[in-house]
Amino acid sequence: MRIAPYIDHTLLKATATGADIRRLCAEAREHHFYAVCVNPVFIPLCVAELEGSGVKVATVCGFPLGAVSSEQKAVEARLSAEAGADEVDMVIPIGAALEGDWDAVEADVRAVRRAIPEQVLKVIIETCYLDDDQKRGATEAAVRGGADFVKTSTGFGSGGATLEDVRLMNEVIAGRAQIKAAGGVRTPADAEAMIGAGAARLGTSGGVALVAQGGQTGGAQHSGY
């Protein structure tokens, strides 16, 4: 099993430089990762660096707290799409999820979906802060709002993806969207297990090391994401 094509090769640290992003893009080209995932300021650089490679450019929205208005998220997502992003990973209003306000979560997702109808929309529910019922509610609200993917984690919270969370989300989604597992995948075996549980994409800043560990298998790990 080749895991490299599942990987969103990620660098979202505040200290990232242009040189770091060029290196990220070169690694993504070399290992045939699915996408790079960067902060919006680096979208044009990634578009230039990855031209002709087939590697997608993903970015984040309302990241990492989700605590801006739906209108602000929509504008951010639209500007990112106009800059060349193929995919947008947005964060839900986590407080609304903790209160069980699923209408607010759905409306938040829908606002971004309407702003970027052509881009892939991944919705981060930040599972580390939610109990199982809240995870189910957030996943359902994200799908109803138009998510292409529901994603476990930002990597800036208190924990990352678990097999149990991926299985739970997969049950709720029931084929209506896909799952991105981010954080907590440290070995090629972990990556295969996440995919077996239902993940269609893996978010990681450590894919290169895991490809080296696993040869053709590749992999992902939680390292600041």
Side-chain angles (χ1 to χ4, degrees):
M1 182 179 187
R2 292 191 65 242
I3 301 221
Y6 289 82
I7 290 175
D8 284 359
H9 193 36
T10 301
L11 180 54
L12 294 167
K13 293 180 179 179
T15 54
T17 65
D20 294 329
I21 298 300
R22 290 184 184 92
R23 186 178 310 112
L24 186 86
C25 292
E27 291 167 348
R29 276 180 173 271
E30 178 183 356
H31 296 287
H32 305 288
F33 294 140
Y34 189 89
V36 297
C37 187
V38 298
N39 281 304
V41 69
F42 291 118
I43 294 168
L45 176 58
C46 290
V47 169
E49 291 291 312
L50 293 169
E51 184 178 4
S53 70
V55 178
K56 303 295 186 183
V57 177
T59 193
V60 289
C61 174
F63 192 88
L65 303 179
V68 296
S69 72
S70 299
E71 291 80 8
Q72 287 172 300
K73 291 178 189 177
V75 170
E76 182 179 16
R78 177 178 58 79
L79 291 173
S80 290
E82 290 173 358
D86 301 297
E87 305 188 352
V88 174
D89 293 26
M90 68 169 286
V91 185
I92 64 167
I94 297 165
L98 290 170
E99 292 177 334
D101 190 348
W102 306 123
D103 288 342
V105 175
E106 179 181 349
D108 193 66
V109 175
R110 193 175 303 281
V112 176
R113 173 77 287 168
R114 288 172 175 162
I116 51 165
E118 303 299 326
Q119 280 66 36
V120 171
L121 177 59
K122 306 202 240 8
V123 176
I124 307 169
I125 66 170
E126 199 71 296
T127 51
C128 61
Y129 296 132
L130 308 178
D131 64 28
D132 284 354
D133 286 342
Q134 291 163 341
K135 292 168 192 173
R136 291 186 182 95
T139 299
E140 178 63 29
V143 173
R144 289 200 314 261
D148 296 302
F149 282 78
V150 183
K151 177 178 167 182
T152 60
S153 317
T154 63
F156 288 79
S158 59
T162 68
L163 283 174
E164 292 76 17
D165 286 344
V166 172
R167 291 186 183 113
L168 180 153
M169 293 162 68
N170 194 39
E171 180 182 345
V172 173
I173 285 170
R176 294 173 294 162
Q178 298 184 82
I179 296 169
K180 178 175 173 179
V185 185
R186 296 180 174 84
T187 68
D190 289 341
E192 290 192 21
M194 288 289 182
I195 293 167
R201 200 81 66 82
L202 304 172
T204 174
S205 59
V208 171
L210 287 168
V211 168
Q213 287 179 37
Q216 284 294 322
T217 302
Q221 69 181 3
H222 178 48
S223 176
Y225 179 62

